[in-house]
Structures are given as structure tokens and as C-alpha cells.
Amino acid sequence: MIAIKIFIYSRKSVYTGKGESIENQIEICKSYIYSRICDKSEAEIYLYEDEGFSAKDTNRPRFLQMLRDLRAEPKPDYLVCYRLDRISRSVGDFASLIDELNRLGVAFVCVSEEFDTSRPMGKAMMYIASVFAELERETIAERVRDNMLLLARTGRWLGGTTPLGYSSQQICEGADSHSTKTLYQLVELPDELTTVRMIFETYLSTSSLAATARSLNSLAMRTRKGREFSPVTLKQILKNPVYCTADADAYKYFESIGALVCFNADGIHGLVAYNRRERGGAHRSDERQIIAEGRHDGCISGSRWVEVQRLLNAQKSAHSAIHGEYSLASGRIVCGRCGDKMHAKPRNSVGDRPREYDYICKTKLRQGKSACNSANLNGSMTDAALLAAVSELLPKAYLKTLDLLQRYLHRCAPSSDMTDRALTDEQLEFARSCASLHSHIELLTIYEKRRLIELAFAQITADEYKISVVIE
């Protein structure tokens, strides 16, 4: 009996018990398959589930994995989903998917709307439905943004963890009991605001998050929870617009980064940012943020707050450059002294020489040598040693090596310009005939080398200039 290979894709935007759950979508799809397509004994079903992901685009892990599996052999006969908007709410993304399915000879079935691309009418109706799905998404987004703008004009605090230096106070507004509204606003805490001002001043004088943290901790200054300040905590404070005064410098800065500015530059009040984070907590892009005038007073002038942002962005660029162009194992090496991770840190450039870097223990970076006096590792020498260790391992597992080549060359590349294609017969023959696989490794990009190290070693430990690895 020849089995019918069927992919089922299900998606839910948020982790809640409302609406059609992932499990319900799968059961509905299976019921449709067994009643309309084939018997249960004939179906070979593969499940792809994305929970907590929006349909605004196709950047979803299981959806992307499904696309890779669609292109592999043997191809499925059907792709089934519960509803059209589970796949995408974008007409362009949806049309691209249908075109590829048609090229691959895979039928697409949407259970709820009863669309089946194996039939001409089903294909036409599906394109029409996708137009309305995108219209619905854009309408919802516009409605949410309008509500955000209304909230922004009130300057109210919408809840969540209050920033250092402020508490949240409930107030009531309205002419009478029938029209009274309850809302919240930020209220200054003078002692904490003194700490905030010192954080900004220290960072502006040192231009270093780590140095700022060491300075504050040496003065026994602590967070609201009584913990020592870390560079991560300080960065969150320094980037928060709530401390920035609503003046002309602030207005010009937020306008330049594309944020929607909703405040008058009165030079008195602080700012409140709306729409800063996605539902999962990730920061939104600058142009999607709404910056409004709060009901609290600002504590840092716009010019000094903007200068802090420029310093932070410059450090971020330097950090990205070093990790994107040189480092192969940042965050994967474990310090043998304290057990914390070791990260790549750039040295100063000398003339036209390329920038060098070292692997330094995170505890040492944050708290100094008194907390961990482990030796730094020369970055380029460490990376070369790791690649040499990989090249020694490869001949011992030759077939695994060829599989790795395909994975890190074409499936694990982070940039969109890397194509997801299998190695050609000529490339495979070249790999088999290489006298030295180490020479082939040297031709790889920084991202491919980094991925190879991740795949080869379960753990990398550094102690007294020595590196030891644990093979997976």
C-alpha cells in the first residue's frame, strides 16, 4: 500500500486557552483528511506547529522548517491547514507559497474555507480570501495604533514594572461619579532618582557600562531589589525615555529615528514610550514606537540623554562588528575558574592592523579581577585552535562531515542572501577528494565556521591558558 504523505500546519499567535488551540486545529485537519482525502491507514502525517507567532510574515521556525521539507524528496502530496490566515495574512507571502506548491506538485487544502488548489475554483477563491485576510490584519493594526495614540495624549502609565526612580499612583478624573475614570501616573521617588542621575553622569564620564557598574557597586549602591548593578541592567535604565525631559533636543532625536512624536517640547515633563515591545517582550523597531509627554517631571536633559544614546549605539556597532567579523566562540567558552561564560572583547586598533580581540570571563568583565582572576585568551589563536581541533575530528566521521557541510553551508547561514540548496554532485566529489579538510574549512565564512564549532563541541572550557573540549 502506497502511503499518502500529508503535512499539517497549525499556528496560534499567543499562548492562551481562547480561540482554536493548536491541538484543536490538528484534530480538525485530521478529521477532514480521513473523511475527504484518504483512510487513516493510508495517511502518513507530519505536524508543524508554531505557537506564539504572528501571521504578519513567514519568519516562523516550524513554518520555515516545513518549507525546507517541502522542497526535499520525497515531496508530500498535500499541505493542510485549518484556516487560511493560519498560513499568512499577507497576500504576497501567500501567493508566493501557492506558486511554489504548484511548482512542486503539492496540493493545498484549507479545511475551514474548504479550499482545495487541486481544483481551479478552489484556487481562485483562495486568492480572494487571502486579500481579505490581509485587509483584516491591516485594519486591526490601524485600530490598535489609533488607540495607542489616544492613550499617548493622556500621558498615563499603562502598568508593568515601574522604572527606577518612580512609583505608580492611581488617580481618578471626571466631573462626577458617572464619568470618573481611573488611571495611573508616575510619581517621583527622590532617593532613587539620585541614583539614576549618578548612573547617567558616571556613564557619560566613563563611556563604559562595565566601568559604570563597578563604580556604583563600589559605592554600595544597589538596585531596587538590593542587587548589584550589572551592565545589562544599566543599559535598560540608560535607554529608557522615561528619564528624558521633553525638550527640543529630545524632539529632534526621536523624530530623526522615525518614532511617532506626540509631545510639546515644554522642557519640564518626562516622556512615556508606548508600543515599545512585542507581545513576547522583544523591542519593536524605532519607527513603531510612540513617544508622548508624561505627567511626571523629567530628570535628565534631552541633550545629555541623546548623548548617552549615541554612546550606546557606537558601542553596539563596535560589538556587532567584532562578533560579526572575527569571533567564532563568544559565549560558548566556559571559564574554568568561576564557570561563567567568556565573551569576545575587542582591543584598540593599531595603525592599519586589523582589530584584535580576547575572550574574557563575563564575571571578570562585570565585577573585576577580585571576583575572577582567570587569564584572558587571545581571540584569533583560540579560534584557530578550535578550527584545528574540528579538522582533526572530521576524518574520523567522514560521512557525518559531509552532512555537516550541507547543514552549515546552506541551512544554517543567518543572512537572507544565503540560498537553501543542497550541494551539487561536483561539490560533493570535491569534498571527498580533498586531501586536507582543514583547507576546505578555511574557505568558509565566519558564520559557517561558527556554526561548525557549535555542532562539533558540546562544551568548551578554558583554564590557565588551556582549552578543553567535550565532543557531542
Side-chain angles (χ1 to χ4, degrees), residues 33 56 111 183 189 203 209 262 294 306 310 314 317 319 322 326 333 357 368 384 395 398-399 408 415 419 437 459 471:
I33 291 168
K56 63 181 180 180
V111 174
L183 51 87
L189 300 176
Y203 179 72
L209 291 170
C262 298
V306 170
R310 287 174 178 154
S317 299
H319 183 271
I322 188 65
Y326 297 100
I333 303 176
Y357 60 100
Y398 206 78
L399 293 178
Y408 65 65
S415 57
T419 57
L437 287 175
Q459 182 175 317
I471 302 170

Side-chain angles (χ1 to χ4, degrees), residues 184-204:
Y184 293 84
Q185 68 179 31
L186 294 177
V187 178
E188 292 83 356
L189 300 176
D191 290 342
E192 290 188 0
L193 280 178
T194 299
T195 302
V196 170
R197 292 188 181 96
M198 181 170 288
I199 289 172
F200 276 85
E201 293 304 318
T202 306
Y203 179 72
L204 283 169

Side-chain angles (χ1 to χ4, degrees), residues 60-129:
R60 293 165 252 149
R62 293 296 292 164
F63 184 84
L64 296 176
Q65 181 61 52
M66 182 185 71
L67 291 181
R68 288 192 286 269
D69 294 344
L70 278 169
R71 296 160 186 156
E73 295 291 346
K75 293 179 174 56
D77 300 287
Y78 289 88
L79 168 59
V80 180
C81 73
Y82 164 66
R83 206 169 62 215
L84 198 62
D85 59 7
R86 300 303 88 192
I87 294 289
S88 177
R89 289 183 183 270
S90 167
V91 175
D93 291 339
F94 183 77
S96 176
L97 173 65
I98 295 302
D99 287 343
E100 181 161 11
L101 291 177
N102 290 338
R103 188 174 67 255
L104 296 173
V106 178
F108 176 72
V109 175
C110 182
V111 174
S112 180
E113 290 91 352
E114 295 192 358
F115 297 144
D116 186 344
T117 59
S118 61
R119 302 171 184 174
M121 185 57 69
K123 186 183 298 184
M125 292 301 296
M126 192 158 41
Y127 279 116
I128 294 173

Side-chain angles (χ1 to χ4, degrees), residues 31 90 126 128 153 205 238 266 287 316 335 343 356 372 415 425 447-448 462 468:
S31 297
S90 167
M126 192 158 41
I128 294 173
R153 292 190 181 98
S205 63
L238 293 168
D266 64 2
E287 64 271 10
K316 180 180 178 182
C335 174
H343 292 277
E356 293 293 332
C372 181
S415 57
D425 292 340
Y447 304 106
E448 296 158 354
S468 59

Side-chain angles (χ1 to χ4, degrees), residues 202-305:
T202 306
Y203 179 72
L204 283 169
S205 63
T206 62
S207 301
S208 168
L209 291 170
T212 303
R214 287 195 294 269
S215 176
L216 294 170
N217 295 333
S218 68
L219 296 173
M221 303 187 76
R222 297 294 182 262
T223 67
R224 183 177 287 169
K225 294 182 178 180
R227 300 171 182 170
E228 290 190 336
F229 282 100
S230 69
V232 173
T233 301
L234 291 176
K235 187 175 182 179
Q236 292 174 345
I237 293 172
L238 293 168
K239 290 185 69 68
N240 198 333
V242 75
Y243 304 111
C244 181
T245 302
D247 57 21
D249 291 306
Y251 192 100
K252 186 183 300 183
Y253 171 79
F254 285 108
E255 194 175 46
S256 69
I257 64 174
L260 184 55
V261 181
C262 298
F263 65 85
N264 297 315
D266 64 2
I268 300 174
H269 291 96
L271 299 174
V272 179
Y274 298 88
N275 208 35
R276 287 186 72 199
R277 294 181 180 272
E278 300 283 358
R279 189 182 293 271
H283 280 282
R284 297 184 190 274
S285 56
D286 291 333
E287 64 271 10
R288 298 180 64 186
Q289 295 185 31
I290 301 172
I291 308 297
E293 182 182 299
R295 299 186 174 210
H296 62 286
D297 291 344
C299 71
I300 305 297
S301 69
S303 61
R304 297 187 73 77
W305 191 88

Side-chain angles (χ1 to χ4, degrees), residues 405 408-409 440-449 452:
L405 285 171
Y408 65 65
L409 273 172
H440 189 77
I441 290 175
E442 286 302 310
L443 299 176
L444 301 177
T445 68
I446 180 71
Y447 304 106
E448 296 158 354
K449 290 177 181 177
L452 181 57

